[in-house]
C-alpha cells in the first residue's frame, strides 16, 4: 500500500555521467563565485547600524512572522523559477543539455558560500536601508528551495502521456493554455510535495541568513533566526527555548494551514486512476469547503476578472496586431536550418566564452593562495570528508532499522508521520550550539561533536526514504515471507533490506549533501560568547568569511563543490544505478 | 465514387529515434487518399505505422519525407477540420465532462451560449445526459470514451480520426459504441461524414468501413486495399459479412504469415518476440483439436489473443519446425507432436538442436565461438541493430536470451553485461586434451 504522508521519491538528484556540459557548468559557476566575491570586495558597503533584537517573549511572534514571510516569498520565487526552468529544459533539447547538469550541480554545492558576496553586493545597491540584506536573505533561502522544484516540474513534463498532449493540440489549444491547464495541473502533486521539502530545506540556514558576521561587521535582520543567535550570544536559556518553541509552532502551523490543504486539494490532479492509498484529509480544507464566503469570493473574483478583461480588450487590440509581426520575424528566420544552426552556434560560443572568462576570474582569485594555504585546504577537506562519511554511516545505523520498523507497520507510519515531518523540518543548525554545550559537559570536543551535528542535518533524508521504500513493498511479498516462516533475521536480509536499498542510496546522496552543507555551520560555532572551531573545510569557509579572506573563501567553496560533485558522479551515481538495477521491485 | 479528396498522403515516410540511438523507420513511401463521405479503416500488425499515419493526417507530426495534403493544400500544423478519438481516452482528469467536451470549442471561436449549445448537443448525441458535471474518474471506460467522442463531435469536425477507439473497452461496451458510431455517421444531424479508424479487429473494420487498407510492417507500408460495399447497417452473423471477414483474414494472413521464400535459405530472419510458454501453449492447444490444426484467426479467438500476437507465436513455432502454415491453416507437424510427448529435459534437447539451426541463433552461436564462448551484450545489440533496423534491438535481444536459456544453449550475466555459450568450456577442455 501507499502511505499518503510519505512522498515516494524525495527529490533524488538527477545523477548523470560527467560530460562536457558539466565542465562548462562548473567553469560558469566558478566564474559566478569569483564574480560575486570580487563584487563584495569592490563595494565596501557603508556600515549600517545593526538592528537591535528584542529578546522579550512579546516580540517573538513578530519575528516569527518576519521569518515566515521571507520563507514564503522565497518559495514563490522558487515556484516561478521552477516553472520557467523546467519548461525550458523540457522543451528545448539544447537547453536540456546545459540545464540538467546545472541543476544537478547547483543542488549539491554549498550555496552558503555565496552569502558574503551577495550581502555586500546588495547592501551597496541599497546602502541606506535593510532592503539589500532582506533581498540577500530571501535569495539565500531561494537557493535552498528552487532546485528540487525545478527538477520535479521537468520530470513531470517529460512523463506526460502523449495522447493528452495530442488531445490538447487537436483541440487547438495555444501553448499558454496547454501550460496552465495540462502541464501545470499534471505536475501539481509533485510541485506541492517538493514545495513541502523545499520549505523545510529553506529553514536550514535561517540563523546564518538572518544574523551574519563579515569581518568586523555584523549584519542582522529581525527574525526568529537572529533572535536565536542573540539569545545564544547572551547565553539566555529561556529565550533559546522560546525561539525553538516558536519555530516548532511555526512549522506545525504552516503544515496544517498551508501544506495539508494543498496536499488534499492536489489529489484532484492525479493522472492515474489507481487510488490505492487512503485519501489524505485536512480540517482546514474541509472548513474552507464548507464555508460560503470563499465561494462568494470566487464568484466575485471571476466577475471582476471578466470585466477587467473586457476593459482591457481595447488596450490589448493594438498589441495583438503588432505582436505577431514582431514575433514572426525571428520565427521565420528560425525556420531556416542555417539560421537555427547559426543561432545555436552563437549561443554555444557565448556560453563557452562566459565559461572561460569565469574560469579565468576564479583562477586569478585562487592563485593568490600560497602553497601553505593549499596544504591547509587539503587537510581540512580530508577531515571534513571523514566526518561527512562517518555522519552518513552513523545515520544509516539508526535510521535503517527504525525506517524498516516504521515502514512495515502502516499504523505506526501514520501515527509517526506528522511528528517526523515536523522534526525533519526543524532547522538543525539552530540546535547545534545547544548540542555542543551538552557535549562539552560530557567531555566531547567539537572535532567529534561536529559529526553528531552533521548527523542531525542529514539523517532525515535517509529515514524518509527507507520508510517510504519499505511501505511500498507489495503486501504479497510480505505475506510470502510470513507463510514460509522466515525467521526475522532472514526476513530482513531477504526482503526488507534489499527492497529498501535503492532508496537508501538515494537517501545517502541527499544526506551527504546535507552533511557537507552542515559542516559550514557545524565546525565553527559561536555560543555563549565564545567561539569554538575545529579543523575542517567547513570551518575554513566560515573563518574565511569571518575574516573577509576572499581568496581562501573562493578556494574553499570551489574545493568543496568539486569534491561533492565529483563524489556524486564517481561514487553515488554508479552505486545508485547498480542498486536500482539489482534491487528493483519491478519484475 | 467521384467525391472530393479530403486528405491525401503522398509518398510519406516517417522515422523515429529510439532512446538507444537506433533509428526506426515507421512508414516508408505510403500514399493514401481519403475522400468525403468515406469510412476508411487502417488495419495491420502492431508496429506497421497505422497510428503514425493517423497522427500525420491530424497534423500532430510532420512526415520525414513526402507530403500530407488537405483539400489539395499542404498541411501545416494541426488540421482544424479534424477531431480525434484516442484509445486511452486522453481526458483531462481535473476537468468535468462539460469542460472536457468544450476543450476544442474556444480555439474555433465558439463562446458563450453557442458553446453551451454545442456541448449540450454533443453530450446528447453520445447519450451522456446527466453526467455533465461528473469527473472522468467517476465514469466507466465506456462512458469515458463517450466523453472522448462527444469532445470530438462538439467541434462538428469534417473528418473524425479514431485511434483504436474501442481497444481499451470490454467487448460488450465496444459493440454498443461501434453501432452508435455507424448511426452517427449515417445521421446527417451529427455533421460528421468522413471517418478514418485505426483498428486491430478485423470484424470492427468490416463492420464500419467502406474501404479497408491493410498495412504491412518492417517498415510500415500499404499492402493492399479492400473495398467493402456491404449495405449499412451491417449484420455481423450474416453470410456476406462473414465472407468479407474471411477475405480480410486471408489478406492479413498473407501479410502476417508470408510463405517462406524458397530462394535464400541462409537469409537472416528475426526470431518473433514471443515467450517460450506462448509457443508451447499453442502446441498444447493444437493437440486438443482434431488433426492438430486450425485457422489462425480461430486459434486467436479461442485463445483470447489478438491475431497479431497469434501470428507471431505461430511464426516462432514454425521456425522451430513445430507447425507448418499452409494458407491460414496452422498444422501441428510430426516434430511438434514428438516434442509435446517428450519430458522436459528431452524437449529442451530437441529445442536446442532446432534453435541452433535457426539462422539468427546460428549466427549468434558462431559469433560466440569466435570469441571463446562469450561476448558483450553491446556487441550483440549492435549486430542486431544493423541486421534488423526496423525492430527495437533490446526486445529482440531479450527474446533471444529467453529462448537460449530455455534450450540451455546460452547463458546471460546481466550484471557483467555478457552473453555466453553454454557447454563451451567443456568442449574447449575436451579439445585441449
Amino acid at each position: 500500500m501507499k502511505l499518503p504522508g510519505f512522498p515516494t521519491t524525495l527529490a533524488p538528484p538527477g545523477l548523470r555521467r560527467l560530460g562536457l556540459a558539466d565542465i562548462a557548468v562548473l567553469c560558469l559557476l566558478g566564474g559566478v563565485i569569483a564574480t560575486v566575491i570580487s563584487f563584495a570586495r569592490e563595494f565596501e558597503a557603508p556600515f549600517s547600524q545593526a538592528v537591535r533584537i528584542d529578546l522579550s517573549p512579546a516580540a517573538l511572534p513578530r519575528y516569527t512572522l518576519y521569518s515566515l514571510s521571507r520563507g514564503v516569498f522565497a518559495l514563490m520565487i522558487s515556484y516561478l523559477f521552477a516553472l520557467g526552468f523546467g519548461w525550458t529544459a523540457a522543451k528545448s533539447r539544447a537547453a536540456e543539455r546545459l540545464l540538467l547538469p546545472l541543476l544537478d550541480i547547483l543542488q549539491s554545492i554549498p550555496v552558503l558560500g555565496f552569502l558574503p558576496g551577495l550581502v555586500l553586493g546588495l547592501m551597496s545597491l541599497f546602502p541606506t536601508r535593510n532592503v539589500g540584506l532582506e533581498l540577500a536573505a530571501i535569495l539565500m533561502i531561494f537557493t535552498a528551495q528552487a532546485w528540487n522544484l525545478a527538477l520535479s516540474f521537468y520530470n513531470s513534463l517529460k512523463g506526460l502521456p502523449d495522447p493528452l498532449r495530442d488531445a490538447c493540440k487537436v483541440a487547438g489549444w495555444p501553448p499558454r493554455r496547454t501550460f496552465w491547464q495540462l502541464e501545470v495541473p499534471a505536475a501539481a502533486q509533485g510541485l506541492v510535495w517538493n514545495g513541502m521539502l523545499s520549505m523545510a530545506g529553506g529553514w536550514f540556514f535561517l540563523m546564518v541568513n538572518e544574523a551574519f558576521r563579515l569581518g568586523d561587521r555584523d549584519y542582522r535582520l529581525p527574525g526568529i533566526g537572529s533572535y536565536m543567535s542573540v539569545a545564544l550570544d547572551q547565553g539566555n536559556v529561556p529565550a533559546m527555548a522560546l525561539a525553538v518553541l516558536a519555530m516548532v509552532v511555526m512549522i506545525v502551523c504552516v503544515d496544517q494551514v498551508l501544506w495539508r490543504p494543498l496536499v488534499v486539494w492536489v489529489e484532484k490532479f492525479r493522472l492515474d486512476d489507481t487510488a490505492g492509498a487512503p485519501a489524505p484529509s485536512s480540517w482546514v480544507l474541509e472548513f474552507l469547503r464548507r464555508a460560503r464566503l470563499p465561494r462568494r469570493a470566487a464568484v466575485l473574483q471571476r466577475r471582476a476578472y471578466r470585466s477587467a478583461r473586457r476593459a482591457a480588450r481595447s488596450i490589448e487590440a493594438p498589441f495583438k496586431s503588432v505582436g505577431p509581426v514582431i514575433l514572426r520575424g525571428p520565427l521565420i528566420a528560425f525556420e531556416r536550418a542555417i539560421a537555427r544552426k547559426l543561432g545555436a552556434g552563437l549561443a554555444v560560443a557565448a556560453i563557452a566564452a562566459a565559461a572561460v572568462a569565469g574560469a579565468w576570474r576564479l583562477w586569478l582569485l585562487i592563485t593568490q593562495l600560497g602553497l601553505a594555504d593549499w596544504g591547509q585546504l587539503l587537510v581540512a577537506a580530508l577531515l571534513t570528508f571523514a566526518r561527512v562519511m562517518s555522519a552518513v554511516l552513523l545515520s544509516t545505523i539508526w535510521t535503517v532499522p527504525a525506517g524498516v520498523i516504521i515502514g512495515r507497520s502502516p499504523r505506526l507510519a501514520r501515527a509517526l508521520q506528522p511528528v517526523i515531518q515536523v522534526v525533519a523540518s526543524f532547522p538543525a543548525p539552530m540546535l547545534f550550539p545547544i548540542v555542543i554545550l551538552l557535549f562539552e559537559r560530557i567531555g566531547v570536543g567539537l572535532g567529534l561533536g561536529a559529526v553528531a551535528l552533521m548527523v542531525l542535518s542529514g539523517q532525515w533524508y535517509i529515514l524518509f526514504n527507507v520508510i517510504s521504500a519499505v511501505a511500498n513493498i507489495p503486501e504479497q511479498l510480505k505475506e510470502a515471507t510470513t507463510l514460509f516462516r522466515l525467521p526475522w533475521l532472514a526476513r530482513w536480509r531477504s526482503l526488507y533490506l534489499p527492497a529498501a536499498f535503492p532508496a537508501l542510496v538515494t537517501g545517502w546522496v541527499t544526506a551527504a549533501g546535507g552533511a557537507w552543507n552542515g559542516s559550514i555551520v557545524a565546525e565553527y560555532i559561536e555560543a555563549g560568547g565564545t567561539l569554538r572551531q575545529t579543523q575542517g573545510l567547513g570551518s575554513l569557509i566560515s573563518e574565511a568569511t569571518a575574516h573577509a579572506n576572499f581568496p581562501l573563501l573562493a578556494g574553499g567553496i570551489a574545493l568543496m563543490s568539486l569534491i561533492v560533485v565529483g563524489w556524486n558522479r564517481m561514487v553515488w551515481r554508479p552505486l545508485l544505478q547498480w542498486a536500482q538495477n539489482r534491487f528493483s521491485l519491478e519484475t | 465514387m467521384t467525391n472530393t479528396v479530403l486528405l491525401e498522403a503522398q509518398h510519406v515516410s516517417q522515422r523515429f529515434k529510439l532512446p538507444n540511438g537506433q533509428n526506426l523507420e515507421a512508414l516508408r513511401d505510403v500514399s493514401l487518399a481519403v475522400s468525403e463521405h468515406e469510412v476508411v479503416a487502417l488495419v495491420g500488425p502492431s508496429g506497421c505505422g497505422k497510428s503514425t499515419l493517423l497522427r500525420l493526417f491530424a497534423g500532430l507530426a510532420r512526415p520525414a519525407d513526402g507530403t500530407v495534403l488537405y483539400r489539395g493544400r499542404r498541411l501545416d500544423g494541426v488540421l482544424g477540420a479534424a477531431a480525434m478519438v484516442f484509445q486511452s481516452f486522453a481526458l483531462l482528469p481535473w476537468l468535468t465532462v462539460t469542460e472536457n467536451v468544450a476543450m476544442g470549442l474556444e480555439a474555433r471561436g465558439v463562446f458563450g451560449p453557442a458553446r453551451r449549445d454545442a456541448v449540450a448537443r454533443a453530450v446528447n448525441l453520445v447519450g451522456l445526459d446527466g453526467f455533465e458535471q461528473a469527473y472522468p474518474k467517476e465514469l466507466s471506460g465506456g462512458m469515458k470514451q463517450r466523453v472522448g467522442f462527444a469532445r470530438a463531435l462538439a467541434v462538428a469536425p469534417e473528418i473524425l480520426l479514431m485511434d483504436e477507439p474501442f481497444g481499451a473497452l470490454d467487448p460488450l461496451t465496444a459493440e454498443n459504441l461501434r453501432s452508435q458510431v455507424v448511426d452517427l455517421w449515417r445521421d446527417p444531424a451529427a455533421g460528421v461524414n468522413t471517418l478514418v479508424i485505426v483498428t486491430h479487429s478485423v470484424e470492427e473494420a468490416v463492420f464500419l468501413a467502406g474501404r479497408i487498407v491493410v498495412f504491412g510492417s518492417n517498415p510500415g507500408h500499404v499492402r493492399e486495399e479492400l473495398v467493402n460495399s456491404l449495405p449499412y447497417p451491417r449484420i455481423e452473423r450474416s453470410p456476406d459479412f462473414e465472407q468479407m471477414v474471411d477475405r480480410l483474414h486471408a489478406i492479413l494472413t498473407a501479410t502476417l504469415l508470408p510463405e517462406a521464400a524458397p530462394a535464400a535459405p541462409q537469409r537472416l530472419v528475426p526470431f518473433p518476440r514471443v515467450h517460450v510458454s506462448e509457443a508451447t501453449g499453442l502446441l498444447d492447444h493444437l493437440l486438443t483439436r482434431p488433426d492438430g490444426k486450425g485457422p489462425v484467426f480461430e486459434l486467436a479467438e479461442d485463445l483470447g489473443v489478438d491475431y497479431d500476437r497469434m501470428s507471431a507465436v505461430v511464426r516462432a513455432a514454425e521456425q522451430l519446425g513445430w507447425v507448418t502454415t499452409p494458407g491460414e491453416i496452422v498444422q501441428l507437424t510430426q516434430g511438434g507432436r514428438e516434442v509435446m510427448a517428450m519430458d522436459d529435459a528431452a524437449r529442451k534437447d530437441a529445442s536446442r538442436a532446432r534453435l541452433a539451426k535457426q539462422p539468427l541463433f546460428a549466427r549468434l552461436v558462431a559469433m560466440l565461438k569466435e570469441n571463446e564462448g562469450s561476448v558483450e551484450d553491446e556487441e550483440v545489440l549492435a549486430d542486431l541493430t544493423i541486421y534488423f533496423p526496423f525492430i527495437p534491438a533490446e526486445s529482440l535481444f531479450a527474446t533471444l536470451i529467453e529462448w537460449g536459456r530455455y534450450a540451455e544453449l546460452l547463458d546471460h550475466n546481466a550484471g557483467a553485461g555478457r552473453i555466453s555459450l553454454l557447454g563451451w568450456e567443456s568442449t574447449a577442455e575436451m579439445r585441449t586434451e
Side-chain angles (χ1 to χ4, degrees):
Chain A
M1 64 162 280
K2 257 188 174 169
L3 285 166
F6 293 97
T8 41
T9 46
L10 267 145
L15 296 176
R16 299 144 38 88
R17 208 169 289 166
L18 203 64
L20 207 64
D22 295 300
I23 295 163
V25 165
L26 276 173
C27 288
L28 273 175
L29 273 176
V32 173
I33 299 178
T35 314
V36 167
I37 285 175
S38 47
F39 191 53
R41 257 173 147 186
E42 283 161 25
F43 291 82
E44 295 289 290
F47 180 71
S48 65
Q49 189 67 37
V51 181
R52 282 193 58 80
I53 300 294
D54 181 3
L55 281 193
S56 73
L60 198 50
R62 187 163 51 93
Y63 287 148
T64 312
L65 221 58
Y66 282 149
S67 292
L68 178 62
S69 9
R70 271 177 218 124
V72 172
F73 195 63
L75 190 68
M76 288 197 283
I77 305 176
S78 299
Y79 271 124
L80 285 180
F81 167 82
L83 292 185
F85 192 101
W87 197 82
T88 318
K91 295 289 155 145
S92 149
R93 196 164 294 172
E96 187 177 24
R97 279 178 53 193
L98 189 73
L99 292 183
L100 275 193
L102 178 70
L103 205 60
D104 186 16
I105 288 170
L106 277 175
Q107 69 174 356
S108 44
I109 64 165
V111 280
L112 192 64
F114 293 91
L115 184 62
L118 215 55
V119 168
L120 292 182
L122 287 169
M123 288 282 287
S124 64
L125 280 181
F126 306 93
T128 49
R129 263 175 269 154
N130 254 347
V131 178
L133 208 50
E134 285 284 359
L135 279 180
I138 288 168
L139 274 176
M140 287 313 292
I141 301 175
F142 162 83
T143 57
Q145 290 178 338
W147 323 126
N148 61 326
L149 284 176
L151 196 64
S152 155
F153 189 54
Y154 166 81
N155 281 339
S156 118
L157 282 180
K158 280 281 173 176
L160 212 54
D162 280 336
L164 282 181
R165 274 191 190 291
D166 288 350
C168 293
K169 274 194 212 162
V170 170
W173 282 11
R176 202 179 56 165
R177 186 162 181 200
T178 309
F179 181 76
W180 286 115
Q181 296 203 4
L182 173 71
E183 293 170 341
V184 172
Q189 268 202 313
L191 284 177
V192 166
W193 274 113
N194 278 288
M196 246 159 117
L197 298 170
S198 286
M199 196 76 176
W203 298 136
F204 192 77
F205 283 128
L206 187 68
M207 250 168 72
V208 191
N209 290 340
E210 288 180 352
F212 167 76
R213 245 170 239 154
L214 184 67
D216 52 353
R217 269 158 301 180
D218 193 346
Y219 299 100
R220 248 184 242 153
L221 281 171
I224 202 169
S226 52
Y227 185 96
M228 183 73 182
S229 117
V230 171
L232 279 168
D233 279 347
Q234 300 181 0
N236 186 341
V237 176
M240 284 185 224
L242 271 176
V244 170
L245 184 72
M247 193 73 210
V248 170
V249 169
M250 177 175 89
I251 290 169
V252 172
C253 284
V254 168
D255 181 63
Q256 288 296 312
V257 176
L258 182 67
W259 294 120
R260 280 285 105 192
L262 272 177
V263 163
V264 176
W265 183 64
V266 293
E267 277 292 298
K268 178 178 162 173
F269 301 111
R270 274 184 106 87
L271 267 180
D272 47 346
D273 280 350
T274 49
S281 63
S282 157
W283 58 270
V284 176
L285 191 68
E286 281 301 306
F287 177 77
L288 283 179
R289 274 183 181 159
R290 237 176 276 147
R292 284 255 175 86
L293 212 58
R295 222 173 294 162
R296 270 292 151 69
V299 171
L300 282 178
Q301 182 232 329
R302 219 171 298 151
R303 261 184 221 154
Y305 177 74
R306 239 179 262 151
S307 44
R309 275 306 295 270
R310 222 170 291 139
R313 211 161 282 164
S314 56
I315 309 169
E316 264 176 23
F319 286 102
K320 268 197 179 151
S321 53
V322 171
V325 178
I326 298 172
L327 281 176
R328 204 163 291 156
L331 277 182
I332 289 171
F334 271 87
E335 256 160 33
R336 290 169 185 275
I338 299 167
R340 255 204 316 268
K341 275 193 189 127
L342 200 69
L346 280 176
V348 167
I351 289 167
V356 168
W360 177 244
R361 290 204 84 147
L362 186 65
W363 175 250
L364 283 183
L365 204 57
I366 286 181
T367 42
Q368 296 176 20
L369 292 175
L371 211 59
D373 290 322
W374 279 112
Q376 197 192 355
L377 272 171
L378 280 180
V379 172
L382 256 146
L383 274 169
T384 302
F385 176 78
R387 281 195 198 104
V388 168
M389 287 304 142
S390 337
V392 169
L393 189 72
L394 276 177
S395 312
T396 311
I397 288 173
W398 90 262
T399 49
V400 167
V404 170
I405 290 170
I406 296 172
R408 242 179 4 166
S409 144
R411 216 171 40 132
L412 201 60
R414 224 168 295 145
L416 283 179
Q417 187 259 328
V419 181
I420 298 176
Q421 210 163 306
V422 168
V423 176
S425 307
F426 192 88
M430 259 177 99
L431 296 177
F432 284 3
I434 303 174
V435 174
I436 281 306
L437 288 176
L438 285 179
F439 271 163
E440 274 173 7
R441 285 263 172 89
I442 56 169
V444 178
L446 190 60
L448 279 177
V451 176
L453 299 182
M454 291 181 193
V455 169
L456 274 181
S457 34
Q459 59 190 348
W460 305 113
Y461 301 110
I462 306 182
L463 185 66
F464 265 134
N465 274 299
V466 172
I467 291 177
S468 87
V470 172
N472 284 320
I473 296 176
E475 205 55 40
Q476 290 183 351
L477 283 181
K478 291 192 223 168
E479 280 166 5
T481 58
T482 318
L483 269 173
F484 292 122
R485 299 198 185 182
L486 259 66
W488 75 265
L489 195 67
R491 228 178 270 191
W492 280 56
R493 209 182 44 223
S494 60
L495 179 61
Y496 293 121
L497 296 184
F501 191 68
L504 182 63
V505 178
T506 313
W508 282 345
V509 181
T510 337
W516 277 108
N517 252 331
S519 77
I520 297 178
V521 278
E523 292 176 346
Y524 186 95
I525 286 174
E526 293 179 271
T530 51
L531 170 71
R532 289 166 188 78
Q533 62 171 321
T534 178
Q535 208 184 356
L537 201 51
S539 71
L540 214 62
I541 290 175
S542 291
E543 207 187 342
T545 310
H547 295 116
N549 182 350
F550 291 114
L552 194 64
L553 180 58
I557 293 167
L559 187 59
M560 194 185 273
S561 307
L562 216 61
I563 295 173
V564 174
V565 172
W567 188 262
N568 274 357
R569 300 303 167 86
M570 310 293 185
V571 180
W572 290 140
R573 183 185 150 271
L575 187 64
L576 191 63
Q577 243 169 21
W578 177 78
Q580 278 167 349
N581 249 328
R582 181 76 177 72
F583 298 111
S584 160
L585 274 176
E586 285 154 25
T587 50
Chain B
M1 276 197 272
T2 54
N3 277 321
T4 33
V5 173
L6 282 183
L7 275 173
E8 189 174 7
Q10 290 178 335
H11 306 289
V12 159
S13 299
Q14 185 70 310
R15 286 179 282 275
F16 298 108
K17 199 163 185 146
L18 291 187
N20 63 6
Q22 193 181 346
N23 256 320
L24 214 58
E25 196 169 7
L27 285 175
R28 181 186 283 177
D29 194 24
V30 168
S31 297
L32 181 70
V34 178
S35 306
E36 215 168 355
H37 301 298
E38 245 194 326
V39 181
V40 178
L42 315 179
V43 298
S46 58
C48 67
K50 52 193 193 296
S51 294
T52 308
L53 183 62
L54 200 72
R55 294 189 79 240
L56 290 178
F57 275 153
L60 286 168
R62 280 177 191 211
D65 298 310
T67 43
V68 178
L69 304 176
Y70 166 69
R71 287 188 182 273
R73 290 174 63 180
R74 197 189 172 119
L75 195 58
D76 187 27
V78 174
L79 176 60
M84 195 156 171
V85 178
F86 300 85
Q87 179 177 16
S88 59
F89 318 134
L91 304 175
L92 299 193
W94 40 84
L95 301 185
T96 61
V97 167
T98 305
E99 289 164 336
N100 264 300
V101 171
M103 262 177 82
L105 290 172
E106 272 171 40
R108 288 168 172 82
V110 185
F111 293 100
R115 194 181 110 150
R116 258 198 305 279
D117 289 348
V119 171
R121 201 185 58 108
V123 162
N124 180 266
L125 271 176
V126 299
L128 267 173
D129 309 73
F131 289 90
E132 287 90 347
Q133 295 310 313
Y135 284 97
K137 71 180 90 169
E138 301 171 79
L139 304 176
S140 68
M143 290 310 248
K144 278 184 195 157
Q145 196 55 302
R146 279 170 204 269
V147 181
F149 273 105
R151 177 173 66 185
L153 294 173
V155 299
E158 205 172 3
I159 308 153
L160 184 59
L161 305 170
M162 298 179 275
D163 191 1
E164 303 209 21
F166 315 112
L169 304 177
D170 61 274
L172 275 178
T173 312
E175 179 127 5
N176 170 253
L177 264 178
R178 221 171 2 241
S179 26
Q180 282 198 321
V181 168
V182 173
D183 293 345
L184 278 174
W185 175 65
R186 301 177 68 211
D187 177 9
V192 187
N193 52 34
T194 308
L195 310 180
V196 182
I197 180 169
V198 164
T199 176
H200 239 92
S201 151
V202 169
E203 280 80 9
E204 194 168 293
V206 175
F207 186 81
L208 290 171
R211 191 152 59 99
I212 300 166
V213 184
V214 182
F215 278 71
S217 52
N218 299 342
H221 59 281
V222 175
R223 286 272 308 202
E224 203 159 338
E225 286 191 23
L226 185 68
V227 174
N228 176 10
S229 48
L230 294 176
Y232 294 97
R234 293 171 177 165
I235 299 142
E236 284 193 62
R237 292 293 162 206
S238 72
D240 286 347
F241 190 94
E242 302 238 305
Q243 200 191 341
M244 200 68 197
V245 168
D246 287 345
R247 260 183 77 192
L248 189 53
H249 275 165
I251 295 171
L252 270 169
T253 315
T255 310
L256 297 169
L257 298 171
E259 298 303 323
Q266 278 313 305
R267 199 174 60 103
L268 274 189
V269 259
F271 197 76
R273 285 167 281 159
V274 301
H275 300 295
V276 176
S277 54
E278 288 179 299
T280 49
L282 170 69
L283 298 195
D284 271 324
H285 180 72
L286 283 173
L287 276 177
T288 64
R289 288 176 157 263
D291 299 333
K293 67 176 182 183
V296 63
F297 288 96
E298 209 177 297
L299 293 176
E301 206 166 296
D302 286 359
L303 291 168
V305 292
D306 61 56
Y307 63 77
D308 181 21
R309 190 83 199 138
M310 194 70 236
S311 65
V313 176
V314 169
R315 265 179 291 143
E318 193 178 18
Q319 290 198 18
L320 290 166
W322 292 345
V323 298
T324 54
T325 54
E328 352 175 353
I329 305 296
V330 180
Q331 168 77 59
L332 196 58
T333 60
Q334 192 52 37
R337 279 184 197 280
E338 279 165 14
V339 157
M340 291 314 285
M342 290 171 182
D343 66 7
D344 219 34
R347 197 184 285 180
K348 283 186 180 224
D349 288 339
S351 313
R352 181 160 61 243
R354 277 294 186 176
L355 271 187
K357 277 187 226 152
Q358 202 274 348
L360 182 55
F361 277 96
R363 198 191 139 73
L364 186 57
V365 168
M367 187 173 168
L368 283 163
K369 281 185 178 161
E370 271 168 35
N371 292 286
E372 320 221 306
S374 153
V375 289
E376 282 184 20
D377 290 0
E378 294 299 327
E379 224 169 303
V380 180
L381 280 168
D383 220 35
L384 292 177
T385 314
I386 293 165
Y387 281 104
F388 307 110
F390 310 121
I391 301 173
E394 308 263 351
S395 74
L396 183 54
F397 181 79
T399 306
L400 294 186
I401 296 293
E402 185 187 333
W403 281 86
R405 273 179 167 158
Y406 167 75
E408 294 177 17
L409 181 67
L410 306 170
D411 198 8
H412 182 235
N413 185 337
R418 289 189 83 84
I419 182 168
S420 53
L421 194 60
L422 276 175
W424 170 258
E425 276 147 295
S426 53
T427 50
E429 273 162 29
M430 275 195 309
R431 216 179 297 150
T432 50
E433 272 170 13

